[in-house]
Amino acid sequence: MDTTKYAHRSIPKISLADFDSRIDEITKELVAAAETDGFFVIVDHGLSSEEIEAQFDNAARFFALPDAVKATVPFSRRNVGWEKAAQIRPSTGVPDQKESYQMQYGAAMDGMWLPETALAGFRQQSLAFMHKVQAVSERLMVCFARGLGFPDRHFVEYHDITKPNIQTVLRLLHYFALDPARPVPRDYYRAGAHADWDFLTLLFQRPGQSGLEICPGREVFTAFGRGDVWTRVEPRAGEVVCNIGDLLMSWSDDRFKSTFHRVKTPTDPATDYFGPRYSMAYFNQPNTDCRIQGPLKKYPLVTGSEFTEAAMRRNYSALEAKKAEVKMEGLRDGVAAATTA
């Protein structure tokens, strides 16, 4: 039985219309959203619903290919490529039940695109979409720079996609369908609770394919703890859901909140979506040589690569702790079963 506690939270909806003339108003709205739940929705961002749906169709073409074909571009240390049921969250200790394909700009993708004979037009369309999303991201970066008292292009210059050491990626995601007539397997998670480590995530969801939920409660970006009350974020055509990542939380001296979120595993056919779920996440990740420190200097200055390495170490430590916890619970269950037999 699902005992999750839910509460309504009003996720701010922010229009980017007339951006140049309204930048002060938009900055105020973005800062307010970042200081509270760390999640907001943007509209009037310049990407049409048709363009977004076209890229979803492009993603579906990729995921419809045989696994043997997708496996020719396997996930690599360059943070690109295809993976299936391989990502393990510290919150669950088991793999998310999904597959994903991650793309970067430039040389990181050498040998990581499928040939045109396997997927005609995929590379060209995906890169065009990524450049459009980057333009939207940069507008948001200008606002957050202003909100923190930095020069307008402070964050833009540190997320320069023309440089060879960029880490920004677009991740295409496909969550597997479940049969609503059958019990969901134990320890089955679409995407376990987690916070993003990047600067800012722009998430595209397909209308009708629900599952995203948020749970605020972090006060410092290094904490893995969170609250226990969740809020559903329903997908709507043309809307882009954005969330602050740990990098921006650190860069703001914990003023802006990087919030835990998950893709709920469906349990109730009356309220949950059991079908295949597609989403696309654009992770704005810093150039490896950028210099990261907030205006109050709460944390030591680090480079982009150092921040990433520290985030990976925290994730690994939390995952090892979760594995130990699961192992201990298994031992306790075994002892209890033996004493009642």
Side-chain angles (χ1 to χ4, degrees):
M1 180 179 178
D2 187 2
T3 59
T4 302
K5 292 185 286 186
Y6 286 95
H8 173 75
R9 294 181 176 93
S10 180
I11 308 299
K13 185 179 295 187
I14 301 171
S15 170
L16 303 189
D18 304 317
F19 182 83
D20 291 338
S21 62
R22 294 181 53 245
I23 189 169
D24 291 338
E25 175 189 347
I26 293 169
T27 296
K28 184 177 179 180
E29 292 177 355
L30 287 171
V31 168
E35 289 177 333
T36 51
D37 291 342
F39 265 78
F40 54 93
V41 171
I42 57 172
V43 295
D44 305 318
H45 39 67
L47 282 164
S48 69
S49 296
E50 292 75 18
E51 287 175 308
I52 296 170
E53 274 302 305
Q55 183 58 20
F56 269 123
D57 290 339
N58 206 30
R61 288 198 302 135
F62 176 89
F63 290 124
L65 293 169
D67 285 1
V69 175
K70 292 177 286 189
T72 62
V73 286
F75 193 80
S76 73
R77 291 186 177 182
R78 287 180 283 169
N79 203 29
V80 295
W82 174 74
E83 60 81 23
K84 182 177 182 180
Q87 185 171 23
I88 302 175
R89 310 285 186 182
S91 62
T92 65
V94 296
D96 289 349
Q97 294 303 305
K98 61 171 175 46
E99 60 178 327
S100 71
Y101 178 63
Q102 198 149 283
M103 299 169 284
Q104 283 193 35
Y105 300 88
M109 290 297 292
D110 288 350
M112 299 303 293
W113 295 105
L114 289 176
E116 285 290 297
T117 52
L119 203 59
F122 176 84
R123 174 179 179 173
Q124 181 180 2
Q125 181 174 333
S126 295
L127 283 171
F129 183 79
M130 290 166 66
H131 279 282
K132 291 177 181 178
V133 181
Q134 177 67 19
V136 177
S137 297
E138 291 182 1
R139 287 186 166 189
L140 301 177
M141 288 178 192
V142 169
C143 292
F144 284 126
R146 287 191 172 198
L148 292 171
F150 290 121
D152 280 6
R153 293 188 59 81
H154 184 73
F155 296 135
V156 174
E157 291 173 357
Y158 284 149
H159 293 79
D160 186 347
I161 61 172
T162 68
K163 292 186 175 180
N165 60 350
I166 185 62
Q167 301 183 89
T168 291
V169 299
L170 175 65
R171 191 179 201 189
L172 310 179
L173 295 133
H174 169 220
Y175 300 89
F176 311 127
L178 284 163
D179 183 352
R182 302 180 64 180
V184 176
R186 183 180 177 181
D187 292 334
Y188 188 105
Y189 296 91
R190 279 192 155 174
H194 64 283
D196 295 343
W197 71 262
D198 65 335
F199 181 88
L200 179 71
T201 303
L202 277 67
L203 179 68
F204 299 83
Q205 303 185 92
R206 265 194 153 161
Q209 299 181 1
S210 60
L212 176 64
E213 298 180 344
I214 70 169
C215 184
R218 297 170 85 206
E219 294 302 322
V220 295
F221 83 95
T222 54
F224 274 92
R226 61 177 189 276
D228 62 354
V229 180
W230 293 85
T231 296
R232 296 181 175 92
V233 182
E234 295 297 329
R236 293 182 173 84
E239 294 185 353
V240 181
V241 178
C242 304
N243 65 277
I244 305 301
D246 287 356
L247 176 62
L248 182 49
M249 189 168 178
S250 170
W251 226 328
S252 68
D253 302 304
D254 293 324
R255 178 182 168 191
F256 298 164
K257 304 305 180 186
S258 174
T259 292
F260 271 82
H261 50 285
R262 68 182 184 184
V263 177
K264 182 181 182 293
T265 300
T267 56
D268 185 352
T271 58
D272 297 338
Y273 174 70
F274 282 74
R277 184 180 187 273
Y278 295 88
S279 64
M280 302 183 293
Y282 190 81
F283 297 108
N284 289 278
Q285 299 175 170
N287 295 81
T288 57
D289 62 350
C290 79
R291 297 163 66 82
I292 299 164
Q293 190 172 46
L296 302 180
K297 297 179 171 57
K298 180 177 180 179
Y299 299 106
L301 187 149
V302 295
T303 64
S305 60
E306 289 169 340
F307 187 92
T308 302
E309 290 165 5
M312 298 305 104
R313 286 196 300 270
R314 287 195 304 274
N315 188 77
Y316 178 79
S317 297
L319 181 56
E320 290 302 300
K322 180 64 178 180
K323 288 179 179 178
E325 176 189 329
V326 170
K327 183 177 180 180
M328 186 60 66
E329 288 176 354
L331 291 173
R332 285 197 296 265
D333 290 346
V335 171
T339 57
T340 58

